[in-house]
Structures are given as C-alpha cells and as structure tokens.
Amino acid sequence: MNLGFDSRQPWWLQTRTLNFAGLAWCVGLMAYALFVQYGLREEPCPLCILQRVAVITAGVLFLLAWLHNPVGSAMRRVYGALIVLAALAGVGVAARHLYVINAPAGAVAECGASLEYMMDVLPLHEVLGKVLSGSGECAKVTWRFLGFSMPFWVLVNLLGLAALGVVANWRKQ
C-alpha cells in the first residue's frame, strides 16, 4: 500500500511528511492561542487576530499541500510560495506589533475600536490601516516567555513555518 511516500527518501524527509508537520505546527500554535484566550482569559488585540489569520492561512496551505501531494515540482513550488507569502504577511504584522509594543509612550493611540466593530462600519482597506497603526490595547504586554512577548514568538514561529514551507516544497525530490 502506497500512502504517497517515495521509497528513495526516509519518510520523515519526504514532502508529504513535512507538509503534515507544518500543518501540525500551525494547529499547535492555534491551540495554544485559544488556550491563552479562553484558559488564561487574555483577549487578543486586533494585531494578534491578524497574526492568527496568517497562522491559519499557512496551516490551510500546508493541509492542501499534504492532501494534494503534488508529483510535479511546479505545483509543489506554488504551495511553497503561498506558504511563504502567508507566513511573511504574518511576520510583517508581528513586526508591526513589536514596534507598537516598544514605541515610546504617546506614539501610539491610547484606545481603539474593536476589530468586530470596525469590520461592521468601515471598508476593509480602512480597517487594515487602522489595525496596523496599532492601539493602546496592542501595546499592553501581559504574557512573556523567556523575557519575550507573544508577538516575538509568533514572528519566530512564522519564520520557521516559512522555512519549512520552502524545505518541504522547493527541494529536489
């Protein structure tokens, strides 16, 4: 029975396995984000929500690449490029979030409307502009691990996911 594995490579280095690992990584990140939100009662700010969207998008792309398991290198490269784009978009949002956190007092607006409210009353391009400008709620850090805030760890994980997307889908078979 062939499950889409190539017998010329160890199973753990094959495209299908690496795409599944990327999917599992994204699921783990989202599971932890939901634990922090509902278990530790830390509400995500708008920038956090956009970072979650990037992780979910990368996860869906890893899922599609795993299920499709394309034989040709062209389609694998498309999956790899899309994963990298999703991850780098999240890296950009996380970097902006780190800037907002580290900006001097008064450089960032003190309060902002909720993302849900803005989505109801504003066009998408204005919502993105307002969210990326950050607000006081985005500058507040209540969670740290090894001295670093969550946006830093999201940035590191998204860079890792981008690298995995390249390794899984761009290398020669």
Side-chain angles (χ1 to χ4, degrees):
M1 179 168 100
N2 185 353
L3 297 175
F5 293 112
D6 182 358
S7 61
R8 294 174 286 177
Q9 288 183 332
W11 67 271
W12 50 273
L13 273 180
Q14 294 184 20
T15 298
R16 187 168 197 139
T17 304
L18 294 174
N19 281 320
F20 182 79
L23 167 63
W25 190 346
C26 292
V27 168
L29 289 173
M30 283 309 304
Y32 186 73
L34 293 173
F35 166 74
V36 170
Q37 181 177 353
Y38 295 108
L40 301 180
R41 303 207 184 280
E42 295 286 338
E43 284 300 314
C45 72
L47 289 174
C48 294
I49 292 170
L50 289 178
Q51 291 167 65
R52 287 182 184 190
V53 169
V55 170
I56 291 168
T57 302
V60 167
L61 290 166
F62 274 117
L63 171 67
L64 292 173
W66 174 63
L67 291 173
H68 182 207
N69 193 29
V71 177
S73 65
M75 196 61 208
R76 279 196 338 268
R77 287 179 189 261
V78 168
Y79 282 122
L82 291 173
I83 290 166
V84 167
L85 285 174
L88 290 181
V91 165
V93 173
R96 176 66 182 168
H97 198 170
L98 288 170
Y99 170 78
V100 168
I101 288 170
N102 294 304
V108 176
E110 289 302 316
C111 61
S114 72
L115 184 61
E116 182 179 336
Y117 174 77
M118 288 191 290
M119 292 294 288
D120 286 341
V121 299
L122 296 172
L124 182 60
H125 70 280
E126 286 185 38
V127 172
L128 288 175
K130 289 190 180 300
V131 167
L132 291 175
S133 67
S135 66
E137 65 182 312
C138 293
K140 185 172 48 173
V141 177
T142 58
W143 180 98
R144 289 192 181 275
F145 179 68
L146 299 177
F148 296 104
S149 63
M150 193 166 302
F152 171 81
W153 292 111
V154 172
L155 186 144
V156 168
N157 277 279
L158 284 167
L159 287 174
L161 287 167
L164 181 60
V166 169
V167 168
N169 296 294
W170 280 58
R171 63 189 170 77
K172 288 190 179 211
Q173 290 290 330

